[in-house]
Amino acid sequence: MRSYPVGVRLGISDGGIAVTGKTPNSHRLQSGLLAITLVVIWEGACRLFEVSALVLPVPSAIGARLVTLFGSGTIWPHLWATLVEIIAGFVFGVIAGLVIGAMISLIPVLERLVYPYLVALQTLPKVAIAPLFIIWFGYGLTSKVVITALVCFFPVLVSVIAGFHSTDRDQLDMMKAFGATNWQTLIRLRIPAALVLIFAGLEIAAVLAVIGAIVGEFVGAQVGLGYLIVTLNFGLDVPGVFAVLIVLSANRIGDARVNARGGTSLHFLDPAQ
Amino acid sequence: MREDDPVAHSGRARAGFLGTVHCGGELVTEPRPDAGVVFQQALLLPWDTVLTNVMLPAHLKKDRSAATVKRAEHLLAFMGLKDFAQKYPFELSGGMQQRVSICRALMRDPKVLLMDEPFGALDAMTREAMNMELMRVWSEERKTVIFITHSIPEAVLLGDRVVVMSPRPGRISEIVNIDLGRPRSLQSMASARFGELCDHIRSVFGSESPMVASL
């Protein structure tokens, strides 16, 4: 988890993606070559030492499973279900975080009353209460959306509160000196100033959303990539598990790139500059 | 141009530092529309362009007319920032940001300009340049300027009247009339009269502030 000192510059550190959002071609080439080398070593070493396919499958077997999963169309309902859970959970969690965070920040009474309970709730590992959600909301997508939303809620809530707290006192004085109403100060100063930290919270929420959905599926599901992993694992189809993991990772890197672009355009909004 | 200080600006007492404070005069208890304020930091909104920042006082009064835009552009050109209207504050140097802040303060053509150590955060040479710039601005748009500073030479260079305030509690120690002719330049700082005035003001402090007296 990151910490948010006031006025932090939004740093993009996800998977070595360059701040401009574009990786120079030479870097791409080098990364690609490295990846190929690693895969070759993997394949060679596993064959050489006759590593069991149940422990560490060879890349060629994984590749083959990937092909069959996509070719037979098996993967699509699962991929789709998980994506829906992630996106829906993210949206609901973020909206709740934004609204409740804004309310808490702008109404001091509310903050004093509610925040301690929220902190207490936050310390509870959401994934530990996932089984409870399965009982409450069933084996369908709903339970996973709820878990994901809950998991996304807290980082966004905290970052909204931190964002509103980070408003520069002198800037507030300046707005008052020019006769701004409370509403004008909110719209023109407090919200833009909070955006830097809020986007940082959104980044974290995006990462956690995937975890929330997958773990929810581990606990109880009938469809989804997490469900697929558990099922394939049960059937000792380890190459299949790896194949699904690759699909999952591809999804995550896509997420990170989106966040990187959203984040960099905001870096100059940092009032600390 | 008077060198004064609103003692109770926005409810806060401005006097009470150890060191040189030149203040006095008008009591301001709340933000007045006919007073423009320039702070020690430029305090521009980083997510708005320079032009939008300058127009902030007008926007806050719901005035987005073309005439307002023209005035903002005119002010920027006047301060030598014509080409920077669409830039963002982080692209400007400290001195330039402070100039934008002055434009903003002048936006609604206030009768009084309140400047709270506006050049304190700038390097010495930029500071001198800004002093000259301020006098140029004042020669065109005559306003009452209340300028708070810790620098005795700056007060004597800029002011018609320097009001010296004592440290806690902030009380007016003395009001010194600056009888140097206008227009003034940095050369004025070399004149004997300039030195006498600075010396006189310094001596007022000497009797009040133990720190300065020991120098």
Side-chain angles (χ1 to χ4, degrees), chain B residues 14-80:
Chain B
R14 295 306 292 172
F17 314 102
L18 206 60
T20 66
V21 176
H22 307 272
C23 357
E26 246 174 58
L27 237 103
V28 178
T29 51
E30 59 168 35
R32 300 158 56 134
D34 52 352
V37 190
V38 181
F39 301 85
Q40 191 166 10
Q41 308 294 330
L43 295 182
L44 304 175
L45 298 176
W47 41 84
D48 282 336
T49 59
V50 160
L51 189 67
T52 313
N53 266 295
V54 172
M55 291 198 290
L56 179 70
H59 284 179
L60 291 178
K61 295 298 162 210
K62 316 271 205 311
D63 173 11
R64 287 173 191 264
S65 61
T68 312
V69 178
K70 274 249 131 26
R71 175 165 173 81
E73 287 170 349
H74 161 78
L75 281 168
L76 280 172
F78 184 56
M79 296 292 270

Side-chain angles (χ1 to χ4, degrees), chain A residues 132-156:
Chain A
L132 211 54
F133 284 111
I134 302 297
I135 294 178
W136 286 342
F137 298 103
Y139 274 78
L141 293 186
T142 316
S143 48
K144 264 71 74 189
V145 171
V146 171
I147 294 171
T148 306
L150 203 59
V151 145
C152 291
F153 169 70
F154 284 104
V156 174

